[in-house]
């Protein structure tokens, strides 16, 4: 008795299969047996649809000698490879066993071989022959014509069945044989369903189940980088189970989606295969077609693809039913080109080749279908694939490999991978491009495609998304997606998601990550800086020139009449207004930010505090003169300085409180230039001074400016001969206009991408223009007289207190008369009045300080 073991190899040659099948079931033989050892089984009378070989032990055989017939006809055309070849292999194996005196001594094997016609229902009907001997017949009610009890011819007792080929046939037959405990071994049925020992406990097979085959085909699809395929199955257990196993694996592993899963009917109607091709074209991106179909259906599918001008479109992946067979691709070589097929590993047996080639009508009468075969194949070459040299070995097969079964009665999965190729010489052939034994080994360089392009053809639902794009998967079809670009400040975080970059970062060029946003500042060479710097430099030069001129002519009447102390304070403020431009443009750091806080409002505060003190003094003097001759308080130069610096100290106090509450520091503002295009986004390095803080810093100075303007309006009626009220008024009016224009420009651009440049330039130019107005209206005329008309910078006669008092008491009348008379008349009347009137002595002391700034009629030309 041949023992069985689990191994990773098994034979595929038909003769070896049946030799080992017979050996595997020697436990069925009786202890004693006839001593007759015939040299060749005796041929029983020919049966129309069966072969019967006499023997001590009879084995059943099921083979698809014919294909499935058309409607109403059980059998169709003769099948040479799957039918006649395998049938002859069984008889060859029986001959070898019977001729071997050591393998089964004193025992002769016989056979009863039936044609299944590739149809499960027909095979079931035929297989009832195998169980007839096990059915007891009740003849008690039956009598012969002469009254004797009937004598029944006892049919052959079948101890085991070899077959069938198709899984659907094996399943149908197995359900009958298991009832009578008849063992069954298949040589080609691969449906996974047959691995169920609880249902098919008397079934085994020497080929791996389709679950291995489906896994191998899935590995091929994955290696080809295909993720969108269709399946096509012949109706029945083989096709449907194979496709089901493939779909199940695709669900478990993921990465491969099934576009369509079509089924070929058992009895296809006319035009059915053209309809199948049209349906497959509905998902044209799924070019790869996974086929679990019999060779007849394969041939008709290829023919339909050819008729529909789809040569080269489909990428066929065929199961072992296609394998390396020639019949499906005859006259359809071009449409089948590039097809990848698999076939369980096999080896050729030279002895069987010689046996089969030696068969003829004269020496092979036991095969009732051989004459039909001879008619179709006379004068043709019987093709057998690659030969494996080596002598035959008993018990281990002619091919030198053991027959093995696992716990489910299945052979392990070992496949060769073929591709149907057409060479440059237009020769079509199957070429081995790899193998599968629990793992795929594929030779990509050995593959050839119809286009001649060495790159792999595509069978994908959607093209891969580019960098920076995420996949938006179509619902229910994970292999199909739409590519959506990560917009704005989002980057591609994963294959399916876009995420927002951190606030201080932006997406890189490919949008696959984030990079820091560039930090900028106002550069000295920027046009936004050049203009205010140029104005400031001119202003600083002009201010310095005025200061030097005043210092040089410090004791001249014009300088003294201007109020030297207050003039120097005002000129200092003008200088600071120009100088702040450089601090506003300088690179921000703690020191620069500190100086900005201090000097931003200090220059204006110096200027308008001095002007406010001046206008207030003028207003108080003339208002007091209308009521009495008593001089107002705090009109001396020292008092004026105290008042001015008291006003300035309020600004400084506010700055110091600001320092204590919020120490100065720099900040990078990423929101100011956060444009819609992240590539243009910039972070702005600046001092941490908010718009509110800026307004508070300038607000006090603006308050001084407005108050000064009010006093300028009140003193507009004072005769120009005696004071600077009108130039101060013009200065304040112009300054107010400048700052009224500044406010909408500064705050109206708060949302602009150029905010930093516009606001800095607007602020610095506004400060410079304010300083320029004060410098131009209050000091340039005086400098002009000092430098170009020095003859006017001398007193012509001494002032008298009488003239001063007269001017103060008559200012109201002169203002009224000035509206009705020419300016010259007013001056004449004033001079006359000053000469004729006397001044009381008690006003001399109060008006003394005013004499330093006021002038007589003779001095009116330069005041």
């Amino acid at each position: 008795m041949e023992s069985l073991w689990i191994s990773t190899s098994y034979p595929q040659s038909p003769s070896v299969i049946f030799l080992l099948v017979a050996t595997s079931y020697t436990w069925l033989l009786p202890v004693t047996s006839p001593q007759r050892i015939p040299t060749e089984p005796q041929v029983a009378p020919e049966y129309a649809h069966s072969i019967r070989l006499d023997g001590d032990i009879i084995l059943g055989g099921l083979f698809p000698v014919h294909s499935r017939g058309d409607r109403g006809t059980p059998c169709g055309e003769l099948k040479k490879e799957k039918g006649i070849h395998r049938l002859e292999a069984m008889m060859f194996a029986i001959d070898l066993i019977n001729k071997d005196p050591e393998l089964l001594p004193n025992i002769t094997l016989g056979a009863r071989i039936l044609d299944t016609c590739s149809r499960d229902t027909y095979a079931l009907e035929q297989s009832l022959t195998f169980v007839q001997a096990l059915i007891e017949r009740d003849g008690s009610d039956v009598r012969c014509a002469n009254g004797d009890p009937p004598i029944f011819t006892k049919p052959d007792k079948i101890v085991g069945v070899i077959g069938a080929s198709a899984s659907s046939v094996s399943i149908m037959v197995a359900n009958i044989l298991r009832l009578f405990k008849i063992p069954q071994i298949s040589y080609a049925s691969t449906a996974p369903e047959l691995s169920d020992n609880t249902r098919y406990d008397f079934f085994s097979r020497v080929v791996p189940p389709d679950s291995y085959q489906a896994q191998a085909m899935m590995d091929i699809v994955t290696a080809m980088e295909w993720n969108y395929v269709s399946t096509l199955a012949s109706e029945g257990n083989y096709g449907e189970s194979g496709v089901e196993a493939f779909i199940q694996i695709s669900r478990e592993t993921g990465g491969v989606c099934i576009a369509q899963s079509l089924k070929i009917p058992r009895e296809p109607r006319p035009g059915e295969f053209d309809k199948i091709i049209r349906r497959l074209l509905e998902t044209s991106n799924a070019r790869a077609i996974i086929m679990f179909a019999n060779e007849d259906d394969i041939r008709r599918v290829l023919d339909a693809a050819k008729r529909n001008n789809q040569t080269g479109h489909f990428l066929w992946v065929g199961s072992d039913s296609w394998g390396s067979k020639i019949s499906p691709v005859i006259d359809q070589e071009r449409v089948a080109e590039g097809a990848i097929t698999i076939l369980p590993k096999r080896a050729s047996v030279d002895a069987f080749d010689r046996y089969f080639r030696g068969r003829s009508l004269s020496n092979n009468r036991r095969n009732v279908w051989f004459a039909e075969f001879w008619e179709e194949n006379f004068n043709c070459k019987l093709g057998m694939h690659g030969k494996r040299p080596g002598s035959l070995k008993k018990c281990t097969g002619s091919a030198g490999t053991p027959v093995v079964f696992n716990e489910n009665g299945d052979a392990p999965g070992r496949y060769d991978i073929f591709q149907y190729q057409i060479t440059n010489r237009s020769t079509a052939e199957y070429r081995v491009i790899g193998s599968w034994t629990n793992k795929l080994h594929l030779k990509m360089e050995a593959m050839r495609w119809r286009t001649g392009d060495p790159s792999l053809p595509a069978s994908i639902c959607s093209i891969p998304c580019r960098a920076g794009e995420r996949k938006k998967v179509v619902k229910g079809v994970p292999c199909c997606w739409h590519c959506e670009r990560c917009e704005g400040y989002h980057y591609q975080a994963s294959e399916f998601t876009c995420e927002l970059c951190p606030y201080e970062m932006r997406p890189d060029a490919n949008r696959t990550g984030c990079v820091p946003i560039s930090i900028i500042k106002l550069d000295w060479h920027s046009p936004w800086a050049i203009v205010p710097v140029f104005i400031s430099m001119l202003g600083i030069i002009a201010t310095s020139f005025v200061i030097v001129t005043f210092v040089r002519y410090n004791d001249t009447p014009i300088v003294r009449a201007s109020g030297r102390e207050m003039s120097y304070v005002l000129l200092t403020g003008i200088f600071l207004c120009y100088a702040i431009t450089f601090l506003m443009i300088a690179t921000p750091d703690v020191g620069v930010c500190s100086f900005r806080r201090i000097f931003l409002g200090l220059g204006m505060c110096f200027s308008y505090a001095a002007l406010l003190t001046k206008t207030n003094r003028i207003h108080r003097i003339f208002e007091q003169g209308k009521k009495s001759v008593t001089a107002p308080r705090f009109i001396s130069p020292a008092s004026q300085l105290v008042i001015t610096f008291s006003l300035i100290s309020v600004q400084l106090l506010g700055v110091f409180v600001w320092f204590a509450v919020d120490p100065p520091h720099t900040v990078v503002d990423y929101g100011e230039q956060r444009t819609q295009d992240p590539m243009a986004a910039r972070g702005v390095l600046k001092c941490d001074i908010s718009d509110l803080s800026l307004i508070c810093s300038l607000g006090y100075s603006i308050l001084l400016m407005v108050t000064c303007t009010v006093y300028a309006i009140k003193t507009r009626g004072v005769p120009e001969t005696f004071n600077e009220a009108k130039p101060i008024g013009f200065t304040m009016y112009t300054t107010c206009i400048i700052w009224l224009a500044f406010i909408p420009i500064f705050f109206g651009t708060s949302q602009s991408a150029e905010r930093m440049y516009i606001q800095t330039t607007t602020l610095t130019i506004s400060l410079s223009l304010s300083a320029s107005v004060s410098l131009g209206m209050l000091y340039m005329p005086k400098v002009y007289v000092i430098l170009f008309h020095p003859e006017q910078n001398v007193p012509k006669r001494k002032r008298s207190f009488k003239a001063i008092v007269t001017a103060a008491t008559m200012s109201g009348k002169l203002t009224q008369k000035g509206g009705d008379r020419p300016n010259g008349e007013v001056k004449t009347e004033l001079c006359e009045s000053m000469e004729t009137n006397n001044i009381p002595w008690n006003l001399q002391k109060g008006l003394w300080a005013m004499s330093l700034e006021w002038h007589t009629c003779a001095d009116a030309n330069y005041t």
Side-chain angles (χ1 to χ4, degrees):
M1 174 178 174
E2 180 74 13
S3 61
L4 303 180
W5 66 96
I6 303 300
S7 174
T8 59
S9 61
Y10 61 93
Q12 177 63 19
S13 173
S15 62
V16 177
I17 290 175
F18 297 116
L19 172 65
L20 295 179
V21 165
T23 306
S24 302
Y25 283 92
T26 52
W27 58 273
L28 293 172
L29 301 179
V31 178
T32 61
S33 59
Q35 298 299 314
R36 176 179 52 87
I37 304 178
T39 59
E40 183 175 349
Q42 300 298 315
V43 181
E46 294 185 3
Y47 292 82
H49 298 288
S50 67
I51 296 175
R52 185 175 185 278
L53 304 179
D54 288 334
D56 301 319
I57 296 176
I58 305 299
L59 297 177
L62 293 173
F63 296 93
V65 179
H66 293 87
S67 62
R68 190 169 57 239
D70 296 332
R71 292 180 177 274
T73 305
C75 300
E77 298 177 352
L78 187 75
K79 300 181 74 169
K80 299 183 292 292
E81 294 176 353
K82 282 190 174 181
I84 298 299
H85 290 187
R86 288 173 173 172
L87 182 153
E88 289 288 346
M90 178 176 179
M91 292 193 294
F92 170 74
I94 290 175
D95 291 344
L96 290 181
I97 295 173
N98 289 336
K99 290 178 181 179
D100 193 322
E102 298 180 2
L103 190 58
L104 293 176
N106 302 322
I107 296 175
T108 301
L109 291 181
R112 184 71 182 274
I113 301 175
L114 305 177
D115 181 8
T116 64
C117 289
S118 305
R119 189 188 300 271
D120 51 2
T121 54
Y122 183 80
L124 177 62
E125 179 184 345
Q126 294 293 305
S127 64
L128 293 177
T129 304
F130 298 148
V131 299
Q132 288 178 356
L134 301 178
I135 299 177
E136 294 184 1
R137 298 185 181 183
D138 185 6
S140 59
D141 296 333
V142 180
R143 288 293 182 268
C144 294
N146 58 3
D148 295 335
I151 300 175
F152 295 100
T153 303
K154 192 172 184 179
D156 296 328
K157 181 179 180 181
I158 305 300
V159 298
V161 175
I162 307 302
S165 175
S167 295
S168 58
V169 175
S170 291
I171 290 174
M172 189 73 77
V173 173
N175 288 323
I176 295 296
L177 297 181
R178 71 184 296 267
L179 298 178
F180 298 92
K181 299 182 179 181
I182 298 177
Q184 176 186 2
I185 296 182
S186 173
Y187 48 84
S189 297
T190 57
E193 181 181 351
L194 291 168
S195 297
D196 186 357
N197 273 337
T198 60
R199 295 180 56 192
Y200 305 102
D201 46 343
F202 282 82
F203 177 86
S204 295
R205 49 187 164 186
V206 292
V207 289
D210 285 336
S211 56
Y212 293 120
Q213 185 173 200
Q215 183 63 61
M217 297 173 79
M218 175 59 69
D219 291 347
I220 293 173
V221 168
T222 304
M224 301 298 291
E225 299 179 357
W226 298 337
N227 68 357
Y228 197 51
V229 301
S230 293
T231 63
L232 185 58
S234 293
E235 185 176 5
N237 293 91
Y238 171 76
E240 295 177 34
S241 298
V243 165
E244 183 180 351
F246 182 86
I247 294 176
Q248 182 62 30
I249 293 173
S250 70
R251 291 171 180 168
E252 294 174 354
T253 59
V256 176
C257 297
I258 309 301
Q260 295 190 75
S261 187
L262 305 182
K263 187 186 301 183
I264 302 172
R266 295 178 187 270
E267 305 292 341
R269 299 176 181 177
E272 186 71 35
F273 290 91
D274 292 322
K275 180 181 177 182
I276 289 174
I277 294 299
R278 288 194 296 270
R279 288 195 59 188
L280 290 175
L281 289 174
E282 292 176 1
T283 52
S284 56
N285 285 347
R287 296 176 60 195
I289 310 299
I290 311 302
M291 298 183 68
F292 281 86
N294 59 61
E295 61 181 282
D296 299 326
D297 289 341
I298 293 171
R299 182 176 64 254
R300 287 180 282 187
V301 167
L302 295 178
D303 184 58
K306 182 179 179 180
R307 281 197 309 272
N308 287 271
N309 297 320
Q310 297 303 318
T311 299
H313 174 75
F314 293 111
L315 305 170
W316 312 106
V317 181
S319 62
D320 59 354
S321 61
W322 186 336
S324 59
K325 295 184 179 68
I326 301 299
S327 58
V329 297
I330 292 177
D331 298 328
Q332 298 175 147
E333 290 81 2
R334 291 294 177 183
V335 73
E337 183 179 2
I340 300 174
T341 62
I342 69 174
L343 191 63
K345 282 186 175 295
R346 61 185 182 177
S348 296
V349 179
D350 293 337
F352 176 73
D353 292 342
R354 292 191 297 268
Y355 162 83
F356 191 75
R357 291 192 179 102
R359 295 294 88 185
S360 66
L361 293 176
S362 61
N363 63 12
N364 195 21
R365 293 183 179 274
R366 62 182 180 178
N367 187 345
V368 297
W369 299 288
F370 193 76
E372 185 180 357
F373 172 79
W374 185 269
E375 290 175 352
E376 292 190 10
N377 293 274
F378 184 77
N379 202 23
C380 69
K381 182 179 180 180
L382 299 176
M384 297 297 294
H385 299 282
K387 297 181 179 180
R388 181 175 180 178
S391 59
L392 300 180
K393 295 182 181 179
K394 294 182 180 180
C395 302
T396 60
S398 303
T401 55
V403 173
V404 292
F405 302 96
N406 61 18
E407 63 277 6
N408 295 322
D410 300 327
R414 298 181 67 223
Y415 299 93
D416 285 323
I417 313 297
F418 295 87
Q419 187 183 37
Y420 191 67
Q421 300 179 358
I422 299 179
T423 62
N424 295 332
R425 295 174 295 177
S426 299
T427 302
E429 60 180 342
Y430 290 96
R431 289 191 175 181
V432 177
I433 59 171
S435 62
W436 190 93
T437 306
N438 297 323
K439 184 178 180 182
L440 180 66
H441 301 277
L442 202 59
K443 302 175 183 176
M444 291 293 186
E445 67 280 0
M447 304 183 76
R448 297 291 182 271
W449 304 99
R450 183 174 183 273
T451 59
D453 188 353
S455 61
L456 298 178
S459 181
I460 56 177
C461 180
S462 304
I463 61 174
C465 293
R466 295 175 295 180
E469 295 179 343
R470 75 176 185 93
K471 293 180 180 179
K472 185 177 181 181
V473 178
V474 177
K475 186 176 181 180
V477 189
C479 299
C480 298
W481 58 79
H482 303 292
C483 295
E484 289 187 349
R485 184 162 180 80
C486 298
E487 298 292 345
Y489 289 81
H490 291 78
Y491 72 100
Q492 183 184 0
S494 68
E495 190 177 6
F496 302 98
T497 60
C498 294
E499 292 185 2
L500 185 65
C501 285
Y503 193 69
E504 70 280 1
M505 305 183 81
R506 62 168 178 81
D508 57 19
N510 294 328
R511 291 185 174 271
T512 55
C514 297
V515 296
I517 295 178
S518 301
I519 299 176
I520 62 170
K521 60 182 182 58
L522 184 58
D523 296 320
W524 293 101
H525 55 77
S526 170
W528 296 98
I530 292 176
V531 173
V533 167
F534 178 73
I535 296 174
S536 297
M537 291 182 66
L538 291 179
I540 289 174
I541 293 173
T543 305
S544 301
F545 180 75
V546 171
I547 293 174
V548 171
T549 301
F550 266 52
V551 172
R552 171 69 179 78
Y553 298 96
N554 188 56
D555 294 324
T556 60
I558 290 181
V559 176
R560 295 179 62 190
S562 298
R564 289 173 295 185
E565 296 81 0
M566 297 303 294
S567 292
Y568 290 136
V569 172
L570 180 57
L571 288 171
T572 300
I574 293 173
F575 183 89
L576 292 177
C577 287
Y578 286 123
I580 191 63
T581 296
F582 298 93
L583 287 175
M584 296 302 294
I585 298 176
T587 300
D589 56 31
V590 175
V592 170
C593 293
S594 300
F595 283 116
R596 281 188 187 180
R597 290 191 180 186
I598 294 172
F599 293 104
L600 180 60
L602 190 61
M604 291 178 62
C605 187
F606 263 79
S607 299
Y608 300 125
L611 287 177
L612 176 59
T613 303
K614 272 194 171 188
T615 55
N616 175 265
R617 180 189 182 198
I618 294 171
H619 175 73
R620 288 189 295 115
I621 288 174
F622 280 92
E623 288 296 320
Q624 182 71 18
K626 293 178 183 179
K627 300 175 183 179
S628 67
V629 294
T630 304
R633 296 185 300 173
F634 309 120
I635 60 174
S636 64
S639 299
Q640 297 296 294
L641 288 176
V642 171
I643 294 173
T644 300
F645 283 107
S646 298
L647 294 175
I648 295 173
S649 64
V650 175
Q651 173 76 18
L652 292 174
L653 179 62
V655 171
F656 291 144
V657 172
W658 187 9
F659 270 80
V661 174
D662 183 18
H665 60 279
T666 60
V667 67
V668 179
D669 187 352
Y670 293 99
E672 184 171 317
Q673 293 198 21
R674 195 173 180 85
T675 58
Q676 291 185 350
D677 180 11
M679 297 298 108
R682 298 292 184 270
V684 180
L685 177 63
K686 61 182 183 180
C687 295
D688 187 23
I689 301 178
S690 64
D691 292 345
L692 178 61
S693 300
L694 179 67
I695 292 301
C696 292
S697 179
L698 296 176
Y700 179 68
S701 299
I702 293 175
L703 176 63
L704 295 178
M705 178 185 69
V706 172
T707 306
C708 183
T709 303
V710 171
Y711 276 109
I713 294 173
K714 288 183 177 182
T715 58
R716 68 184 184 278
V718 176
E720 62 182 39
T721 319
F722 289 91
N723 61 85
E724 295 177 318
K726 283 183 170 41
I728 291 175
F730 291 144
T731 298
M732 299 315 301
Y733 305 152
T734 306
T735 302
C736 287
I737 292 173
I738 292 173
W739 286 98
L740 285 175
F742 160 80
I743 292 174
I745 296 175
F746 186 88
F747 293 100
T749 59
S750 60
Q751 303 300 322
S752 172
E754 306 292 331
R755 171 186 175 186
M756 176 187 68
Y757 305 108
I758 296 175
Q759 291 188 345
T760 302
T761 302
T762 302
L763 178 60
T764 54
I765 290 180
S766 297
L767 290 169
S768 296
L769 289 179
S770 300
S772 299
V773 169
S774 300
L775 185 66
M777 290 190 173
L778 297 179
Y779 292 102
M780 284 305 173
K782 295 178 176 57
V783 173
Y784 175 77
V785 172
I786 292 173
L787 296 180
F788 298 104
H789 296 282
E791 69 279 3
Q792 297 182 11
N793 194 17
V794 293
K796 294 185 178 180
R797 60 183 178 179
K798 188 174 181 180
R799 302 172 186 173
S800 65
F801 292 139
K802 179 181 178 180
I804 297 172
V805 174
T806 301
T809 56
M810 297 183 64
S811 60
K813 297 179 180 181
L814 293 176
T815 301
Q816 181 178 0
K817 292 180 179 181
D820 301 329
R821 299 182 181 182
N823 194 39
E825 296 181 9
V826 177
K827 293 180 180 180
T828 302
E829 182 178 349
L830 178 61
C831 291
E832 292 175 354
S833 300
M834 291 172 63
E835 292 175 354
T836 57
N837 295 333
N838 295 323
I839 182 170
W841 176 252
N842 61 352
L843 291 177
Q844 293 181 10
K845 184 176 181 181
L847 298 176
W848 172 256
M850 297 172 60
S851 65
L852 297 177
E853 297 185 38
W854 291 2
H855 304 275
T856 61
C857 290
D859 301 328
N861 291 331
Y862 60 81
T863 57

